[in-house]
């Protein structure tokens, strides 16, 4: 039986990794991070946020062409990326399926123990590891050598800094400035 509630209520609380909780209705589509009562900032990710929040569109397209998903979520996207983060940091990420809650405007929610910048760095680090693993399975030693050489010059923190400066994080579409 459905639980009665006030019409328009965006009901429910989400228990955060820090032990605090937050009302689902307080997490709108434009929110990327919030200051918690615990004193820390927590990153917020929704299924409607594009993967270009973390990576340039050209790389998102390459990931979509390269990674075969085996679920009902379709091509590689934010839910898959957050799944990778959750797999690596299970105690640092909470997720909620809100697909039955028609009042919030999104279906999946993740809140992390990290702030949004640290989450961005984690996402980049994990995708680089994924790419390195994929290249290592190629039967082309030259490709692996070239990838390793390029990664020697790649600074995750610097990439994230520059990328965040060039993006518009004020709306849910995270478009280039």
């Amino acid at each position: 039986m459905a639980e009665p509630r006030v019409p328009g209520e965006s009901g429910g609380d989400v228990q955060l990794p820090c032990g605090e909780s937050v009302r689902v209705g307080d997490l709108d589509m434009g929110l990327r991070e919030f200051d918690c009562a615990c004193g820390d900032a927590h990153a917020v990710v929704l299924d409607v946020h594009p993967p270009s929040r973390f990576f340039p569109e050209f790389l998102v397209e390459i990931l979509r062409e390269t990674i075969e998903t085996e679920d009902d979520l379709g091509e590689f996207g934010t839910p898959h990326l957050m799944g990778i983060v959750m797999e690596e940091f299970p105690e640092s990420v909470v997720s909620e399926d809100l697909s039955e809650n028609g009042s919030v405007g999104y279906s999946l929610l993740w809140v992390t123990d990290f702030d949004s910048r640290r989450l961005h760095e984690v996402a980049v680090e994990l995708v680089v590891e994924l790419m390195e693993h994929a290249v290592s399975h190629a039967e082309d030693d030259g490709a692996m050598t070239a990838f390793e050489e390029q990664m020697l010059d790649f600074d995750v923190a610097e990439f994230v800094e520059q990328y965040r400066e060039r993006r518009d994080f004020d709306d849910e579409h995270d478009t280039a400035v």
Side-chain angles (χ1 to χ4, degrees):
M1 174 189 274
E3 196 173 295
R5 62 183 184 97
V6 177
E9 176 185 48
S10 299
D13 287 351
V14 175
Q15 188 73 28
L16 304 175
C18 66
E20 297 287 336
S21 63
V22 65
R23 297 221 21 96
V24 169
D26 293 339
L27 304 174
D28 65 60
M29 290 188 286
L31 189 66
R32 299 296 180 271
E33 174 177 275
F34 72 94
D35 294 322
C36 181
C38 76
D40 290 333
H42 298 291
V44 175
V45 181
L46 308 173
D47 60 326
V48 295
H49 294 163
S52 59
R53 170 179 174 175
F54 303 102
F55 306 103
E57 284 81 1
F58 80 87
L59 182 57
V60 172
E61 286 305 314
I62 291 170
L63 293 169
R64 287 184 170 151
E65 291 171 7
T66 308
I67 298 173
E68 293 180 24
T69 61
E70 296 179 3
D71 54 35
D72 296 336
L73 299 172
E75 64 189 3
F76 181 84
T78 300
H80 301 100
L81 179 60
M82 289 309 297
I84 294 167
V85 173
M86 285 181 67
E87 186 176 310
E88 191 69 26
F89 299 97
E91 302 299 318
S92 298
V93 183
V94 295
S95 65
E96 290 287 324
D97 180 350
L98 299 166
S99 57
E100 298 296 319
N101 184 339
S103 64
V104 294
Y106 51 87
S107 298
L108 299 172
L109 161 72
W110 298 269
V111 181
T112 73
D113 227 4
F114 319 119
D115 64 15
S116 62
R117 180 184 176 84
R118 178 64 187 136
L119 173 61
H120 196 159
E121 290 173 351
V122 165
V124 170
E125 290 166 357
L126 293 174
V127 167
V128 167
E129 286 179 21
L130 183 68
M131 293 166 58
E132 181 178 26
H133 179 76
V135 171
S136 73
H137 285 286
E139 296 181 9
D140 182 353
D141 291 336
M144 185 62 187
T145 301
F147 182 81
E148 288 173 345
E149 287 174 4
Q150 290 173 359
M151 289 302 100
L152 291 174
D153 294 331
F154 184 70
D155 182 326
V156 171
E158 182 64 25
F159 168 81
V160 169
E161 180 69 29
Q162 289 181 17
Y163 191 73
R164 293 173 73 84
E165 287 175 2
R166 292 185 175 112
R167 301 301 289 193
D168 176 10
F169 288 111
D170 291 334
D171 73 11
E172 65 270 16
H173 301 292
D174 295 331
T175 56
V177 176

